[in-house]
Amino acid sequence: MSSSTVKNLTFEMRPPPPKAHLHKTLPDSAFPKGFLLSGTHVGIKKSKSAEDLGLILTTSPAERTSAAAVFTQNSFAAAPVRVSANVLAARSGRGVRGVVVNSGCANAVTGQKGEEDAWAMVRAAGEVGNAAVASTTSSSPAGDNDEANMLVMSTGVIGVRLPIDKILSGIQALPSSLGSSPAHWDSVARAFLTTDTFPKLRARTFAVTHADGTQREYRLAGMSKGAGMIHPRMGASVPTATGLHATLLSAIMTDVHVAPKALQSALNYACARSFNAISVDGDMSTNDTVVVLASGAADALEIDEKDNESFIQFRDALTDVAKELAQLVVRDGEGATKFVTVTVKGTKTYDDAHTIASRISTSALVKTALYGEDANWGRILASLGSLQELSAPIDPSRVSVSFIPAQQQNGTAPSDSPKPLLLLHNGEPQPLDEAHASSLLSQTDIEILLDIGLGEESAQYWTCDFSYEYVRINGDYRS
Amino acid sequence: MSSSTVKNLTFEMRPPPPKAHLHKTLPDSAFPKGFLLSGTHVGIKKSKSAEDLGLILTTSPAERTSAAAVFTQNSFAAAPVRVSANVLAARSGRGVRGVVVNSGCANAVTGQKGEEDAWAMVRAAGEVGNAAVASTTSSSPAGDNDEANMLVMSTGVIGVRLPIDKILSGIQALPSSLGSSPAHWDSVARAFLTTDTFPKLRARTFAVTHADGTQREYRLAGMSKGAGMIHPRMGASVPTATGLHATLLSAIMTDVHVAPKALQSALNYACARSFNAISVDGDMSTNDTVVVLASGAADALEIDEKDNESFIQFRDALTDVAKELAQLVVRDGEGATKFVTVTVKGTKTYDDAHTIASRISTSALVKTALYGEDANWGRILASLGSLQELSAPIDPSRVSVSFIPAQQQNGTAPSDSPKPLLLLHNGEPQPLDEAHASSLLSQTDIEILLDIGLGEESAQYWTCDFSYEYVRINGDYRS
């Protein structure tokens, strides 16, 4: 910004609330078996204490592992996205040894050289992975020695080459620091971060009832990153394109033994209800990637789609973790002071409900009103009315809109919590109790409920408000 | 905003530049003949010095007048939009006596009562109009005495009833203050304003060569308003819906004699290249309306589409005025510090070029980077790449992006002006000269040029940056 025109201006504003409590310390027992991890600083990020390179390896035999991923549908998909899709397809989801990730540079719009850099990361990490596996499982060969067995993720600024020498040296130095403690998981979660304010790591155990009647317990742990350029729309394939910016990234690990096709199917289902249902600023990134790695390291029976019960139990557990990781991205949205759930029901199709929820979640006017805690609900309707791509046209006389207090969003409403506030009922505005609206809108968690009145389908979306801090962060991202 | 959580925070920022010089004083001779106008304060807006009710009348015989309009395509089209469309259709564009406008309240999502209020405004204004015309043209009857001969426009907050008694009394008191001086035109332009910082009034003379070979001079004058909720997509018909907020409004007057069908055709063409090609915040309003009234009061031959030359001359003059009025809305965009032209060329279809320009013009990340004067061009490509609704898919290896200095946008480049800055050429990033980028981005007028490399079509869009001031204005609009 040219300094001659810059002034210090003072605003009365609500700063983003503290978010450090969202960084959780998890017990050793919550993490899946069969993984080694390390996060380190190699000098991509300026701050020396900030991890900017991470490696996640499974030490299981190749034939027990499976991997699945969803990638950005952006025409300018970045080099690491295209390379990872290539590795995954070439291996049909079997024997993927792990994921190497860097933050600070997105390796996007970097041309042919950028693609070579992404491949170099894959090979260097593959070498480290193969050696680590050979040393930890000397009695049985852990898999093939092909080095093109790693997925790669990058996030950061666009249009700039990776400092590839630093990264390759960093990867070669990783073996000494690999481990499986909660601190190792935490350090990799930190290696994903850019403008994020806390590492996003979650883990849980879940039970599966197998076809033979036995019930077994497994583990799922994952990390996500993202704060800006968040409006993912990911799919299992990548547009054929050459390469852009930063981004939703997530890696989820589990110790179930699951067929690659079933894993991809479970991820597609989970992603639609989690990462593809969040928006910070409406801008889709070139690097969005979610990877799931299954080590099969638990004493596990294989899960596949044919055994419906065990598959659905796994898929739902994966969806819950994905939803939690996706929602953490929104809670850490750039400048966010509010966590907003947009629930749309009463549409003829799921796609209509998703489209409406997405549109409202990206309206600058709705989001600034939420920041201002202003019950300007007319903006919600203007945004809804602007949609012309719905399968069934909106009938304004059937539309109802309410604000729902956060305490009722998980079904537990303490007796002193505010009541829901009906703003519009079948197209008729309701008298607005400003004190009631104010008590709802002053909460950090807000839910907007729209009933379209045309059918039985519904969808949910999660978004945040639009604050001064968002403008500050993005007005000068590169410096 | 709950006061307990509010703090005074100070930002280093560039405030919106002064815009008062955009309010022009125009000579008497620039205004079209055959119109009477008045703007007044009736108490809808809080400030007593602020006009909030305006009336524009043509005093010409009904058979010499014509009117055309385009309206928002929002499903929640406001009552005044639906009533105006009804009046215009019922009269087939002939004998429309004028336009009554109020600001401060949008009469949107106001149910059946809101529709009755809009009709009451039409009838009261029609009565005043008929009486004024009868008194000014006593020798020849000026048209029918039907009072449903006025169009109506409202802008302001949504979901609140109009203070209809104040408005009707105000309309009845208008006759004493009607006039045709530049001050009268200016006072009506002020009656359109909401968060606008200056009245947007422009006028020009233009020449038409008629089929008989004579060349005659006519006049066009118009006013527009708009600062937020600006992303119009207007059409000649209204969605069948019941009614919502604030808004792009414009009224353009001319003294040509033109057939209603030709006038509508010229307006459709002009609107696509002006009002439907601007965005402040990506939010489409429920009240967007552009009206053109032709008085036929000049000693004029009738223009119709059959006489191609005269029609095109008129259509192009109308387009130029519409473009100027639309661009003023962007210059006065809420919190705007930059006026940004997005030019897209090299697409297979005009629609593709328009869709791309519209998408880039609404990216929060592109707009905050422009506010920060940060050459973060990767965000432009991420935004481009997110489009999946194009007729021909983007080929990243054919895409080029440049910043063009404002001085070259009208073809006159002073020798000391900065050169264009090529950022991406056929998909390859170019070395970025930060000093050059900084000198271009520190200007108030910036042009982003995208060459898609697939065809011969092109489109232009105008937008502004996204500043702290936008958040301040919209964080608490209602209070």
Side-chain angles (χ1 to χ4, degrees), chain A residues 271-350:
Chain A
C271 184
R273 286 151 185 84
S274 57
F275 300 108
N276 279 1
I278 62 172
S279 187
V280 169
D281 48 21
D283 276 292
M284 183 207 276
S285 167
T286 50
N287 288 54
D288 295 330
T289 303
V290 177
V291 164
V292 186
L293 295 178
S295 69
D299 176 20
L301 295 173
E302 190 171 32
I303 294 171
D304 64 34
E305 288 187 85
K306 281 173 239 157
D307 174 27
N308 208 34
E309 187 178 358
S310 64
F311 174 73
I312 287 175
Q313 286 168 335
F314 168 63
R315 188 193 70 182
D316 289 352
L318 180 66
T319 303
D320 286 348
V321 168
K323 208 178 269 190
E324 204 174 353
L325 290 169
Q327 290 181 2
L328 283 176
V329 170
V330 173
R331 287 199 184 271
D332 204 19
E334 288 170 345
T337 79
K338 302 287 183 186
F339 176 79
V340 185
T341 302
V342 180
T343 304
V344 176
K345 62 179 199 178
T347 56
K348 285 199 172 159
T349 67
Y350 169 81

Side-chain angles (χ1 to χ4, degrees), chain B residues 6-19:
Chain B
V6 168
K7 291 181 185 172
N8 285 324
L9 290 203
T10 300
F11 294 96
E12 189 181 79
M13 63 164 275
R14 195 182 52 257
K19 292 169 182 174

